[in-house]
Amino acid sequence: DEEQPSVHMQSFISVAQDLKGSYWLTEQLSFEFLIPYRLTHVDASFLNSEGAFLPDDFESIHHRDEIVHGVGDIRIGLGYSGDLDALWAGSHYAIKLGMTIPTGSVEPDPFLLGSQKLWHQHIFFGNGTFDPWGEGTLTVPAGPVNLIFWGLFVTPLYRGEYEYRGSKVAMASFGFTYSF
């Protein structure tokens, strides 16, 4: 596209803040919620075909200096937790299952809009669909520390607004706690 620069350079700073809570219905059963807030700062620069920077006032339909922010998809669900003393004294588990509520932003297909030379956004904070999710935690004492194993998945099952289908997400972590 002759109207667009040869090179688009971008830097991103993303911030994720989650408000997470549990309301215990019994000693083992809880209602869970998570309200995510997302902020992304984009700094865009452009080079022409000779490799020189374009002026700061250059505008692109593809990228721009901007701050995009908003609420992501809210998660609600139920949690069940308990002790695993029969397997390992002092160990504890928690299992949570639920659904996302499509409260995060979803944008029209940025690649289609770009091919039509229309302004578009590539940053989404939601999937636009009700998606099942699950989370699990296992805590095991090991001498002076507690080992913690954690995992989360979110699986979109269908296409939502603008025919967008979000990515499947799977995360896991391992850590430890130590009391001073």
Side-chain angles (χ1 to χ4, degrees):
D1 185 350
E2 293 176 12
E3 298 173 11
Q4 291 298 313
S6 293
V7 176
H8 295 223
M9 299 184 307
Q10 299 175 85
S11 63
F12 295 88
I13 297 174
S14 295
V15 176
Q17 295 179 323
D18 295 335
L19 174 62
K20 188 174 185 178
S22 300
Y23 178 78
W24 291 90
L25 305 168
T26 68
E27 282 189 25
Q28 293 182 302
L29 185 65
S30 61
F31 170 75
E32 303 288 326
F33 72 90
L34 182 135
I35 303 171
Y37 179 77
R38 305 292 181 250
L39 182 141
T40 302
H41 178 272
V42 183
D43 183 25
S45 300
F46 307 95
L47 301 177
N48 64 20
S49 58
E50 287 82 40
F53 280 96
L54 294 178
D56 286 341
D57 62 351
F58 174 81
E59 292 187 12
S60 169
I61 62 167
H62 300 287
H63 311 112
R64 64 209 60 80
D65 291 344
E66 63 183 330
I67 296 175
V68 182
H69 62 95
V71 173
D73 290 344
I74 293 174
R75 290 196 323 234
I76 59 170
L78 293 175
Y80 188 82
S81 64
D83 294 324
L84 293 170
D85 287 333
L87 294 174
W88 191 305
S91 61
H92 183 81
Y93 72 94
I95 298 170
K96 302 172 185 179
L97 298 171
M99 216 43 130
T100 64
I101 300 172
T103 52
S105 64
V106 178
E107 300 289 333
D109 184 342
F111 300 104
L112 176 63
L113 293 177
S115 70
Q116 297 170 352
K117 299 184 180 183
L118 297 173
W119 184 95
H120 53 276
Q121 181 59 261
H122 291 270
I123 300 171
F124 296 26
F125 292 140
N127 287 339
T129 54
F130 292 90
D131 303 329
W133 66 271
E135 183 177 341
T137 307
L138 175 64
T139 305
V140 178
V145 300
N146 284 322
L147 303 177
I148 302 171
F149 304 90
W150 172 85
L152 170 79
F153 75 87
V154 179
T155 304
L157 301 176
Y158 61 97
R159 294 182 182 278
E161 189 176 10
Y162 309 118
E163 289 300 304
Y164 177 68
R165 183 174 183 169
S167 299
K168 293 179 182 178
V169 175
M171 296 187 284
S173 69
F174 165 75
F176 67 91
T177 62
Y178 177 80
S179 296
F180 293 98

